[in-house]
Structures are given as structure tokens and as C-alpha cells.
Amino acid sequence: MSKKKILVVEDDSDVRLGYYVLLTANDYATCFAADGAGAINEARKSQPDLIILDLGLPGGDGFVVLDRLRAMPNLSLIPVIVVSARDLQGNKERALQAGAKAFVQKPWDDGDLLGLIGQILGHPAGQTTEQDPPPS
Amino acid sequence: MTDPAEMPGPGAADHQARILIVDDEPHNRSLLEVMLTPEGFQFETANSGEGALACVARQPPDLILLDVMMPDMDGYEVAARLKGDSATNHIPIIMVTALGDREAILRGLNAGAEDFLSKPVDRAGLRVRVRNLLRLKAYSDYYSSFSQTLQKKVASRTTDLVERTRMLEQQAAVLTQHAALLDMAPNAIIVRDLEYRILFWNRGAELMYGWPRAEALGRVTYELLKTEFPEPIDSLSRALLLTGQWDGEVVHQTRDGRRLLVASRWGLQIGPEGTSSRVLTIHHDITEQSRADAEHRLLSQRLSLATAVAKVGVWEWDLASDGLTWDATMFEIYGLPPVVPMAYDKWTAMVVPEDLAHVEATLQSAIDRKGEGSAEFRIIRPDGDVRNITVAERAVLDDQGKVSRLIGVNMDVTERKDAEEALAQSRRNQLQFKDDFLSHVSHELRSPLTAIKQFTSILLGGLAGELNTAQREYQEIVLKNVDQLQSMIDDLLEVTRLETGKLTVEPERVSISDAITDTIDTLKGPARGKGVSLSWDVPSDLPAAYADRTRLRQILIILLDNAIKFTQDGGSARIRARQTDQDPPGLVVEVSDTGCGISPEIAENIFGRLYQVSDGTQSSRKGLGLGLFICKELVTRQGGEIWVSSQLEKGSTFSFTLPTFSLTSVIAPLLKNDKWPAESVALLTVDMKVPSSSSLDATREELSTEARSVVHRCLLPDLDVLLPAMDADTEGERFLIAAFADEKGAAGLADRLREQFKRLASLEERRVNISVSFSMLPPLPWKEGVSTELMVASMATHLEESVKHQEPREPIHHE
């Protein structure tokens, strides 16, 4: 079974590197985008299994990216975890209503994030692959 | 023949004798005149009795030749009148009668005539008679006047002497008496003569002017007292002599040189001979009074100036007549010409209608309490301008102690209000900026913090190679501090939300024991790490609270976290909850510890913003000091109170109250003006059933939130109300809605709910079942005219009963 691929949309290069180290170490394939336009292109090109989307992006609000993803037939079913430094209140509800699977507030706990990714990628219909528990 | 007229005699030579000839016939008068002309007499004539009398009155003649036969008044009557009057009885009268008429002669003599002549008059006889009589009269006149003068002189001398003595005695007595009385008078009483020399000086004058009587008597008043008269002294004296009195204000100087303003009253005293010789003067010192008067005038001038400048209108309302008296500023404030007569009704017509009841109530209460009152209201001026007015009034009592009038002021505070509004707006803007700034900074801080936390976790997770013990320990310190920083940022954002009103509290039915166990679960780890034991105690029959679930948990976590933080190894922290004795009963939750305690002065301020207490373990680290402030705000916003009791070195107990849940608190806001929004009430039930295969708790919670927001979207404010969950359920969620609507309206709401839920993709995706149903409640069980409280309470009972009889929840697999 090929590795699950995760698209990380994040404008902060340090944080991108952090994702890379964490996700790679946990046996995920990764691809990256630093803005909204890049996110759509990368998603089309890579067809990831999961998208981690930061709301605060240069050149466009994360919600706009989310809406565009949901509107594209071949991308609309890719689960999205929305990540943001913004407040939980209001934004979480809005993200879920826009079709995100989860809302994670920055800074997150790596263990929690890995658990969430595992749950989402481990359970979709038709997928039977068991994910290894994340290293503690 | 010697002319008898040349005989010496008193007065005869002195003047030409005047003879009055009285006859109605001009011819006879001329005849007599002609006959006597050579004798050198003066003649007067009269052609009637009346004419004769008038002539005598004008200038008494020396002799009268009087015709008897005259129309209207005959000679007898004229003679009788003249002889009957002492002023004229000495004038000799010669009656002229018809010849040989004896009766006429006798009547004439009886009437007092001295002699008579018969017509036709004999010239010689006439002359002799006239001459004799004239001579006689001259002597008589002489003697008579001489003796009269003598007599008069003696008599008057005597009377004068007697009278004078008597008067003097009387006067002396009266004066003595008066002097005694006058001495008792507090005023200065001075008697002076017309030359202003002092004749009398009372005790009051001594006291007032400082001059003893002995020194004052005989002095000239205006010299002694250095009087300053309001007009020249001559004109004062003239006025006094003319009218007998004078009063006015003068300035006197006392012996020691003080100037007194004196009210003076002078009265001319009339002496016994009818002459005036003395003046009684009374003086009253009005220096103080006039100063007070002047001050009063000045004050009232200042006041009216102040009210005019400050645009303070003064009014007076006469309750009996409903008349309003306004000063000029009032008219200015109301934009009316100052000639309009005001009445209470005219005023009320200008007040903005919705403000009228309030301002009238304060007026009435000032009347009822016989006190004062004030209010703020708006008026609409004739030009349509709306102004803000403040009024302050005070009741004025009449003799019987009843309120007869209100007096008060109006002030136009529109500009001030506008300025206040502008100030408040700028303050709001500043606060907004501060909050925006804080919010922005806090959010931006989260990004680098994310990277720090990320890489610390990576290092600790060994993703970059295994760490040695020291490296691991140091990285854990980094991580701990990152967590602290993170919670500070969270607190900061929370406070920002509190202050901008973005923090919302959504109270619902909450189980206290669930919230407490949840909190203890969350903080078990840190407590164990510090060696602090946790316990809790909640009575099993404790009623549910009416609170925001998330916020309650937040409060408990802050308090318990503090308790752990300030308690040493081996100590304990405990959460208890109980019902209060109040009516209606509330709930009180206590978080106590066996920690270091709080000194009273700190306890007083501990809930203030940015109040910092160094925590026991890391004395250099203070934190932001926002936790308890947030707690207090959250408790207050849920209708509770929070306080602390503490003993140093023994421990502290933080307590807060929450309202008990009751349906009444949920439905009370729907009752407006003692009326429910509709006659009938429907109870809608929305059941959400989440398949058990989905085991994600987080997802379930999200679904509940989502479903709740759908329900909220469909409800009409003021008509529908979402009832709180009556019991906890792990299977799914049930929403109960009380809708003030008829059957058609309720069906419409049910349809709308179904429609909205269908659109929710996430529900379908997770195979969540939603069912919506409704039933109409039986007619409301109360009558008209019951109290608001009773209506709410009985409606609550009504709903509660209906909810209890709802069908038990069952899995639903269709829609």
C-alpha cells in the first residue's frame, strides 16, 4: 500500500519544515503549497489523500481556498483539516459548515494532530488500512 | 347859621361821610342826591333792598336813606336786617315815607330806624337830620372802638396768660412721660427746634450715635452727626413746614466716626398757638439691613446673569391654576417667542411622547414627597429641532404645609450630550483599537509559537535523533514554557473578547456534577505531578444549573488550576457544590485548597484585571493575572457572584453562585406587556440520532453544535424558544422547541427545520438521522388578569408537563 499523501498549505516556511519532519517521520508522503493558488494547483496535480489548510494565507483567505476545493468535482471529496491561529469561536463552525473535517488551533499538540490525521485517513469508507499508532 | 358839619368831633373831619341812598325810583334817588350834594358827601345808591344789603356788606356807609316802599324787600325789612346784625347796627338809618303815614313812621322806628322823612322831602329838614345823625354816629363810633380795643386787650392778655401756664404744665407732664417712654425705644429719638438745635435726645440716640444726652442737647443736629442729606437742607425744611413731615434715608456719623445709613422720619409738632417750633425725629439704623439688601440684590442679579449665561431656564408651576411661569431663557430653550402665555398642557405637548410619562412621574413624586426631583427628557421645538433637556424641581409649600407650586430649572444639554456621545464614541474607538491591536498581536504570536512547539516536539519525539537525558530535560522546559505562553495568549484573547462583547454566554440546562468530574479529569495529571490530591462532593439531588456549559467548565478549570498551583506537595484541593438557602434557590460551587492562603488586602483585589500573585513554585513568574478576572466576568455574565475566603498558610476557598435552571427563566422573556405572543403553543421535537458506529466524540459534539445552529436559524425570535435539554443523552440529541403558533404555523416551522437539515451534507455523510414532529399543547390554563409571574410560572409548568409526556426517545431510521 502506497503511503498516504498529505498536502500542507502553509505560508510560514519554518512551520512547513516542521510539518515535513513530523509527517515524514510518521510515514506520510507530503507535498506543500504556500498560498491559495498554489494550493489548488498542487491539489489538482498531486491528488492528496488529505489537505492541511492554514486559514491565514497570503493572497486570499483560507476559506476561499476551501470553497474552491469543495467546488471541484475531483477535489471535493478530499478531507480537509483547517488549521489557524484564529479564534475557535466562529471560525470552527464556519470551517465545518464549509466542509472541513476538523478545525485545529495553532499551536497544536503534535500528538493530537497525528491522532486526528490517523482517524480521518483510517476511517473513510472503503479504506481498510490500519494506521500505526503515532510514536509517543 | 353854623354848619354842623364843621363842628369838631371825632372822625368827622377825617373823611367825607358816605351816604347810601336806597330807592327803587331813580328820580327819587337823584332828587335826594341833588339836595345833599352841597354838604360834600359821598353817595352810593341802591335800587332795591338786596342791593342795599350788598352795598352795606361791601363797604358800610356812614348813613342810609332808606325808602320804605320798594318791591320784593321793603325798607322795614332792610332796616330790621341791618339793625339785627352787630356789624351794621351802628349805621344810622333815615326812613323815607309817604307824607302823614303814621303807621309807616311807627313801623320804621320799630324796625330800628333812627329817624324818618316824609315825601316830598324838605331840603332843609333832610340836611339837618343827616348832619345830626352823622355827628352822633361819629361820636358813637369813636367811643365804641376805643372801649372795644381796651376791653379786648385786657381779656386777651388774661386768657393768654392762663392758657400759657396750663399748656406749659401739661406739656411738661407729657414730655416727662414721653421722655421716659422714648428712652425705652431702640431707635434714636431726637426733638429739635426749627433751627436744628437739639432739645431732646433719648437713650436710643445715645447708644446709636455714642453722644451722651448732656453733650448732645443744644447742639445742631447736622453738625453733631455730620449728616449727609439726600437733597439740600433748605428744600427739606421747606417740605417739612409745608407738609408737616419728611422721611428718607440720611447718612449719620457716630461719635467714633462710623458712618451709619439711617432711615429718618421727621414730624412737625404744632405748638399751642398754632405755631410750629419743634420737630420730632426718629432714626433707625439700616446699615446692616441695607447691606443685606444690597447683597440680596447683587445675588439675585448674579443668579439671573448666571442662569442666562448658563442657559438655565427657570420655571414655576402653579398647581391650582396649572399655569406655568417661564423666564426668558425658558422660552429661548423651547424656541418660543417670549410672549406666549404658558400652561402645563402647552408644555406637555412639546415633550417627546415617550419621555413624557417618565418626566411627569418625577414631577408627581416631588409633589408627593414634598421634596425634589430631576429627570432628563427630550422636547420637539416648533422648528422641529429635538433637544435634550434636564429638569430639576422642588416643591413649594403653602401656609398649610400643602404643595402649592413646583419651582425648577430646565437646561438644554443637547450639546453636552452630543459631546458626551462623541467622547464615548472616541473612547469606544480607542478601546476598539486596543482590542483589535491585542487581538492582532495575540494571533500573530501564535504563528512563531507554533513553529517553536513543533520543533520542540520533533526533538522530544526523537525525530531528529535520540536526545540524552539533559537535552530531553531542557527541551521539556522549553515545551512547558511554550505551553505557558500559549495559555497567556489565550487569556489575553479571552479578555479582549470579554471587553468587546464578543464573548457570548449561552445558558442552558447544565449538570454541575458532570462539569465538576470533567474538570477533575482534565487536571488530574498536573495535580498528580505536584502531589496534590483532588476530591469532589456533589449531592445527588442537586438541581441542574442554568449556565453556559463551556464557560462553566472554563471557570472550574481556572479555579482548580489555581488551587493546585498554590498548594504544596501533600496538600489537597476539593470542589463542592450545594444549593443555597435563598429564594429562589441558587447553586453555590466552592473550590478550596490547603495552600498558602491569601492575605485580606490581596483578597480584596484579587478579581481585578491584571492582578498578579506570584505563584508559590515559580516566584519570579507572575503570569498575566487574568484568570480570576475572566472567572469573575464569566460568573457575573451568567447571573452569579464570586468571592474568596482565605486564611494565610491554611488555604483558600473560592466560591461562586449560579442560577438554578428553571423553565421560567427561559420563557419569561417571551411575555411582553403581560401577553404571550400567541394564543396557542406547539411543542416541536427534533431528534437527532447518531449511528453508534461513529465513535468520534469530537465529531458528535460538532454534529450537535451544527444541529443546534440549524435549529437556531429556523426559530423566530420572540415567538419560538428552544427549550434546554431535560436530560443528558449519549445516544444523540433531542431539541425541544416551544413555538407560539397555531397548528399551521407549527407545521410551517417543522417543514422549515426538515428542509434545513436536509441541506446539511455532513449529517447525511455521517448517516445521522433527524426527525421533526410537533404537537399542539392543550389550551392555556389561565384567565385574564393574572400576574406576570403567575403567567410565566404556569406556562412553565404547562410546558414541563407536556415535555414529560413526550414520547420516549426511540431510534429513528427514516425521514
Side-chain angles (χ1 to χ4, degrees):
Chain A
M1 200 79 203
S2 64
K3 286 180 181 175
K4 296 285 181 187
K5 189 187 275 180
I6 298 175
L7 167 59
V8 175
V9 186
E10 166 66 57
D11 64 319
D12 187 316
S13 59
D14 288 352
V15 177
R16 277 205 304 274
L17 178 60
Y19 275 118
Y20 172 76
V21 176
L22 181 73
L23 295 175
T24 310
N26 283 280
D27 217 19
Y28 291 109
T30 54
C31 52
F32 292 91
D35 55 34
I40 303 293
N41 286 337
E42 194 57 45
R44 271 208 202 110
K45 197 172 79 191
S46 315
Q47 290 292 322
D49 298 294
L50 176 75
I51 299 173
I52 295 176
L53 174 65
D54 191 84
L55 281 182
L57 292 175
D61 192 86
F63 283 119
V64 177
V65 178
L66 188 55
D67 285 346
R68 288 175 67 189
L69 286 172
R70 302 302 290 182
M72 292 186 187
N74 55 339
L75 301 180
S76 66
L77 291 179
I78 302 173
V80 176
I81 295 175
V82 168
V83 173
S84 178
R86 296 182 197 174
D87 283 338
L88 208 64
Q89 203 177 3
N91 288 310
K92 180 175 176 179
E93 199 186 327
R94 192 176 159 194
L96 296 183
Q97 267 172 18
K101 292 287 169 191
F103 182 94
V104 174
Q105 196 178 25
K106 281 184 176 179
W108 61 84
D109 186 278
D110 279 358
D112 292 350
L113 183 66
L114 287 172
L116 188 60
I117 293 169
Q119 272 177 341
I120 292 169
L121 288 180
H123 290 282
Q127 295 275 347
T128 50
T129 313
E130 277 300 312
Q131 199 69 46
D132 284 334
S136 58
Chain B
M1 200 170 143
T2 319
D3 190 341
E6 285 160 10
M7 278 176 62
D14 288 347
H15 69 294
Q16 280 183 309
R18 288 180 56 252
I19 293 174
L20 173 62
I21 300 169
V22 185
D23 200 313
D24 57 332
E25 286 288 332
H27 168 75
N28 287 346
R29 291 198 302 269
S30 302
L31 188 68
L32 287 172
E33 211 170 306
V34 169
M35 283 183 194
L36 287 170
T37 297
E39 299 294 326
F41 301 127
Q42 278 190 334
F43 297 102
E44 301 249 353
T45 58
N47 58 3
S48 69
E50 280 87 4
L53 291 176
C55 196
V56 172
R58 203 158 50 235
Q59 194 177 6
D62 293 309
L63 187 138
I64 300 169
L65 289 170
L66 182 60
D67 182 35
V68 175
M69 301 300 289
M70 288 184 296
D72 296 331
M73 189 188 283
D74 60 18
Y76 307 125
E77 199 181 338
V78 174
R81 285 206 188 179
L82 289 172
K83 290 301 176 186
D85 186 341
S86 66
T88 53
N89 65 0
H90 63 281
I91 304 170
I93 298 171
I94 298 173
M95 301 288 279
V96 181
T97 64
L99 182 65
D101 187 347
R102 286 191 55 83
E103 198 190 345
I105 291 166
L106 277 176
R107 269 188 80 186
L109 291 175
N110 280 344
E114 268 75 14
D115 211 340
F116 66 90
L117 279 168
S118 296
K119 287 179 183 172
V121 176
D122 168 58
R123 179 182 167 148
L126 172 68
R127 283 186 181 176
V128 169
R129 277 182 166 86
V130 166
R131 235 185 262 149
N132 283 344
L133 277 175
L134 280 175
R135 195 176 296 136
L136 264 174
K137 179 178 181 284
Y139 279 111
S140 152
D141 281 353
Y142 174 77
Y143 287 116
S144 147
S145 82
F146 179 76
S147 89
Q148 249 177 19
T149 312
L150 206 65
Q151 220 171 356
K152 253 190 207 158
K153 266 187 186 162
V154 173
S156 92
R157 265 279 161 72
T158 315
T159 328
D160 197 21
L161 281 172
V162 170
E163 188 71 2
R164 206 166 252 212
T165 317
R166 197 178 58 81
M167 289 289 276
L168 280 175
E169 278 168 0
Q170 219 171 31
Q171 252 180 348
V174 168
L175 271 178
T176 316
Q177 215 172 17
H178 282 183
L181 281 175
L182 292 180
D183 266 352
M184 291 165 69
N187 297 327
I189 298 172
I190 304 166
V191 179
R192 60 167 174 85
D193 63 16
L194 290 176
E195 277 73 49
Y196 292 85
R197 268 188 300 273
I198 296 167
L199 303 174
F200 176 80
W201 183 261
N202 80 336
R203 178 88 190 119
E206 287 185 330
L207 291 174
M208 194 158 131
Y209 299 116
W211 291 100
R213 182 175 301 178
E215 287 180 52
L217 292 179
R219 301 278 298 271
V220 171
T221 55
Y222 55 80
E223 287 170 6
L224 182 71
L225 299 175
K226 303 190 172 61
T227 312
E228 295 164 31
F229 293 101
E231 45 189 305
I233 189 161
D234 290 345
S235 74
L236 287 185
S237 302
R238 248 198 318 279
L240 178 66
L241 288 173
L242 216 60
T243 64
Q245 61 182 36
W246 178 82
D247 56 73
E249 288 177 10
V250 297
V251 175
H252 281 157
Q253 230 177 74
T254 63
R255 189 180 193 178
D256 54 16
R258 278 180 302 118
R259 283 159 54 89
L260 303 180
L261 183 66
V262 173
S264 268
R265 181 168 291 236
W266 302 354
L268 197 59
Q269 287 192 310
I270 307 300
E273 312 86 5
T275 58
S276 37
S277 58
R278 36 168 56 90
V279 180
L280 175 69
T281 63
I282 300 177
H283 310 274
H284 178 56
D285 180 2
I286 56 165
T287 315
E288 277 309 310
Q289 188 190 330
S290 111
R291 188 176 300 147
D293 276 358
E295 254 166 47
H296 182 253
R297 260 198 308 278
L298 194 67
L299 258 180
S300 106
Q301 273 169 3
R302 266 191 212 140
L303 185 64
S304 57
L305 187 70
T307 57
V309 169
K311 296 258 186 285
V312 176
V314 181
W315 54 264
E316 189 175 323
W317 174 26
D318 186 78
L319 297 183
S321 70
D322 251 4
L324 276 183
T325 312
W326 279 14
D327 74 351
T329 313
M330 281 297 287
F331 286 102
E332 207 179 303
I333 290 174
Y334 282 75
L336 292 174
V339 286
V340 180
M342 277 315 292
Y344 186 73
D345 286 349
K346 283 193 182 175
W347 169 71
T348 56
M350 294 186 75
V351 177
V352 170
E354 52 262 42
D355 294 1
L356 185 58
H358 166 65
V359 62
E360 278 195 308
T362 68
L363 293 175
Q364 190 55 48
S365 116
I367 297 171
D368 293 345
R369 288 182 293 108
K370 301 183 178 180
E372 299 173 3
S374 64
E376 215 172 297
F377 60 96
R378 289 163 298 162
I379 55 162
I380 304 172
R381 299 212 292 206
D383 58 9
D385 208 2
V386 175
R387 312 292 294 179
N388 290 82
I389 307 292
T390 59
V391 60
E393 70 274 354
R394 169 181 283 175
V396 178
L397 306 183
D398 62 11
D399 299 343
Q400 278 99 51
K402 281 194 202 136
V403 179
S404 59
R405 292 172 299 145
L406 279 187
I407 57 171
V409 293
N410 271 192
M411 245 197 297
D412 187 337
V413 293
T414 313
E415 273 81 25
R416 196 187 75 196
K417 276 213 101 100
D418 289 350
E420 278 171 2
E421 182 48 43
L423 193 66
Q425 183 58 48
S426 113
R427 207 168 282 158
R428 277 197 294 276
N429 290 345
Q430 276 175 15
L431 275 178
Q432 180 66 44
F433 174 76
K434 186 202 78 179
D435 291 329
D436 288 351
F437 176 75
L438 266 181
S439 177
H440 175 75
V441 166
S442 309
H443 285 127
E444 288 305 310
L445 285 176
R446 276 179 176 164
S447 293
L449 200 60
T450 304
I452 297 171
K453 191 164 176 175
Q454 243 181 337
F455 285 98
T456 313
S457 302
I458 285 165
L459 288 176
L460 279 169
L463 301 185
E466 281 306 308
L467 301 180
N468 65 33
T469 318
Q471 286 169 335
R472 173 167 294 277
E473 189 190 327
Y474 301 159
Q475 281 303 322
E476 272 166 357
I477 293 172
V478 173
L479 192 59
K480 189 177 71 194
N481 280 278
V482 167
D483 286 343
Q484 269 182 15
L485 193 54
Q486 189 181 343
S487 90
M488 283 182 196
I489 292 170
D490 289 346
D491 281 358
L492 210 56
L493 284 166
E494 187 76 348
V495 169
T496 313
R497 278 194 292 270
L498 277 171
E499 296 197 333
T500 50
K502 280 184 191 145
L503 184 137
T504 51
V505 168
E506 284 166 12
E508 56 184 332
R509 188 175 187 277
V510 177
S511 154
I512 295 268
S513 66
D514 284 358
I516 291 177
T517 48
D518 188 31
T519 305
I520 291 201
D521 273 351
T522 308
L523 292 175
K524 235 167 13 196
R528 200 180 300 129
K530 265 203 83 179
V532 175
S533 67
L534 302 182
S535 63
W536 60 285
D537 175 18
V538 179
S540 57
D541 58 347
L542 192 74
Y546 187 54
D548 183 313
R549 201 183 299 268
T550 318
R551 299 305 177 189
L552 173 57
R553 191 167 171 271
Q554 199 179 347
I555 296 165
L556 285 169
I557 286 179
I558 293 171
L559 292 180
L560 189 60
D561 185 49
N562 269 349
I564 295 166
K565 209 186 289 176
F566 289 96
T567 302
Q568 307 297 326
D569 193 351
S572 65
R574 180 183 178 81
I575 308 184
R576 298 171 56 190
R578 59 185 166 82
Q579 210 165 347
T580 63
D581 310 329
Q582 293 156 338
D583 183 42
L587 297 166
V588 58
V589 182
E590 295 170 354
V591 180
S592 52
D593 62 55
T594 58
C596 55
I598 302 159
S599 66
E601 56 269 27
I602 290 175
E604 205 173 296
N605 301 313
I606 202 158
F607 296 106
R609 189 158 45 154
L610 301 182
Y611 195 83
Q612 297 170 319
V613 184
S614 59
D615 80 37
T617 48
Q618 292 181 317
S619 55
S620 62
R621 205 53 76 72
K622 287 183 169 178
L624 291 178
L626 292 172
L628 288 174
F629 171 71
I630 292 169
C631 264
K632 184 184 178 218
E633 288 293 314
L634 292 178
V635 168
T636 311
R637 278 163 206 234
Q638 297 184 73
E641 284 178 80
I642 188 167
W643 68 94
V644 61
S645 59
S646 185
Q647 265 189 298
L648 276 177
E649 307 306 332
K650 290 260 172 76
S652 312
T653 300
F654 284 84
S655 313
F656 65 94
T657 57
L658 287 174
T660 311
F661 168 77
S662 73
L663 260 184
T664 52
S665 51
V666 181
I667 58 167
L670 288 184
L671 188 70
K672 301 240 166 72
N673 300 326
D674 288 347
K675 280 192 88 111
W676 294 108
E679 290 287 309
S680 53
V681 183
L683 190 65
L684 282 95
T685 313
V686 179
D687 274 319
M688 182 177 83
K689 176 83 178 133
V690 184
S692 50
S693 59
S694 171
S695 63
L696 290 173
D697 264 3
T699 313
R700 178 192 302 285
E701 205 175 290
E702 281 161 19
L703 285 172
S704 290
T705 312
E706 235 171 295
R708 188 175 293 270
S709 76
V710 169
V711 170
H712 271 297
R713 267 207 302 279
C714 293
L715 299 185
L716 294 177
D718 300 340
L719 282 180
D720 309 322
V721 59
L722 178 62
L723 302 178
M726 293 297 164
D727 48 58
D729 195 298
T730 48
E731 288 283 296
E733 195 87 33
R734 167 174 273 193
F735 301 103
L736 289 169
I737 300 157
F740 282 82
D742 56 12
E743 196 154 354
K744 205 175 148 207
L749 176 57
D751 284 346
R752 202 158 64 241
L753 280 163
R754 289 189 193 106
E755 190 61 34
Q756 289 290 323
F757 275 117
K758 245 182 226 168
R759 287 187 191 171
L760 218 61
S762 55
L763 292 182
E764 206 178 316
E765 205 174 288
R766 289 187 173 85
R767 285 170 292 167
V768 172
N769 265 315
I770 298 280
S771 81
V772 181
S773 63
F774 74 90
S775 61
M776 298 305 293
L777 296 194
L780 303 175
W782 62 77
K783 297 187 290 283
E784 285 288 318
V786 297
S787 76
T788 309
E789 290 79 11
L790 193 61
M791 283 178 88
V792 173
S794 52
M795 173 59 98
T797 320
H798 198 54
L799 282 172
E800 223 156 339
E801 287 299 309
S802 311
V803 168
K804 267 186 207 156
H805 292 111
Q806 278 295 102
E807 285 176 22
R809 204 170 296 181
E810 51 182 296
I812 297 158
H813 299 290
H814 72 94
E815 175 58 20

